Amino acid sequence: MSELEYTVERAGAHALLYAASTIVYLLVQVVTLMVVARLLGPANYGLYNLASIPVSVLSLLTDFGIDAAVLRYSSLYASRGQVCRVASLAKRAFLLKLTLSLSVVAPALLLAEPLGQALSSRSGIGLYVSLYTLVLVPQVLVADAASLMVGLGRAGSRTIVVIAQPLARLAAVLALFSLVGPTVENAILALAVSYVVGITVSLTLVKDVLSSRGCGFEMNEVVGYALTVYTGSVAGAVVARLQSYLLGFITAPMGVVGNSVAGYFNAAYNFLGAIGAVYGALATPLLPLFVHQSKNEEGFKGIVEAVLATLFALTLPLSLISILYSGDVIRTVYGPEYAEAGFYYTVISVSLLLWPFSVVAGSVIQAYGVKRVILLSNTISLVSGVLLYLGLGLTLGVAGLAIASALASIPVLVYQLSYLEGSGFRMEYSKYLKTAVASVLSVLASIPLTMLLALSVARLVLGFTFTALFYSVLLAALNALSDVELSFLVRISRSIPVLGWILGAYVVFYTRLRDFLARLL
């Protein structure tokens, strides 16, 4: 096996492992959300989310692009065998993030009530803001350790943390809600417990790196890259906080009804985040893979095109199912009292359709480390996001915020794809069109077959099953997956127990179906 085949196979195996562990994580999180959202009710659940806004803003002062730099340069140094540089980078990053987070916590505790009023448009939530502040330090350190694990390719270690943390949160929620009561305070304390468990496990798993002897590394280059990427964090945080502020501002005059509307919107947005986490897990190994392969220009472009086609074929039907079955999705997860959240989810989740293009384009640009392109991309994200949220939110209300969320990523994606095509990357849009046609027709064909079912869960399960069958047939008929992409999937399947066997069996089934349909047609 060549080095390229081994590297791609390893990255693919890690992607599926990250995705599998994230699915377990999300299943536990969904159970936790069901308990918290249903026992708190829409109004208190809205306050629970609104109280997190001030700390989310302050967390911007604890990163400065450090996590992104740790991910990229730990991968780069490890690929060169420079272990001592990895150790030095990891230790400095950890100490810096610890210092930054502690420096933010003290003033946040003292100013909790004013921060709640200024950033959440709610008075009387100072206690909730204070409790969220206690989560900040372990949260920041868990993120730093996660970047190090991913950069070093320690998928097993990362999987342990991903599973342990939500289990700890669920256990804490059940214990606190049953022993003390279902309150917003206890919901936040349970979140804090989960991050304490997360950082304890993380430090245990990266102890060997932090305790190793370090040596000098390219400090100026690392800092420059970190600050450039940090502009993206600033842009994202500004847009996200603007969205949260506008949600609070728009719903504040509605009183208790406004809290419920905020709860509906946040329920939809949080579930979108859950789906995005699964997709993100698939993309987790992309940056280390692209950093390692960017030295071979032609081979690199081939890998990028194969990865994009594979991710698009895998995620598009799932995204369409979640959109067209949005009412069933929301009722299943949150309960019938959150039915109004289905509208917001339908609109917001349109952003998932272009996710593969966004994540691959962004990963390629970060792998190249072209600071000018990264900076311009972040500027476009900031400007377009602010204009969309202000324009649509203030004119159309909460529905406008949902539309803005669906459209916000498009301007920067257009710029990044234009840059990549100008750099010699060729996007096979005809292939993506075949995948899109197969996805749309498959999901639409499943709807009449599930309409007569009374239970939302039953409609979702059968809808997914029918869509998967129709989709496989249409993909094979259209020959949407090339031999290169199928070979890519086969190599991945050989590296993973259980899931790999399932993936390998599907590739065999798809190949035989494609050959049969080719002879038939």
Side-chain angles (χ1 to χ4, degrees), residues 20-34 166 170:
S21 62
T22 303
I23 290 172
V24 174
Y25 165 87
L26 289 174
L27 289 174
V28 179
Q29 288 287 71
V30 165
V31 174
T32 305
L33 276 175
M34 292 171 69
L170 177 59

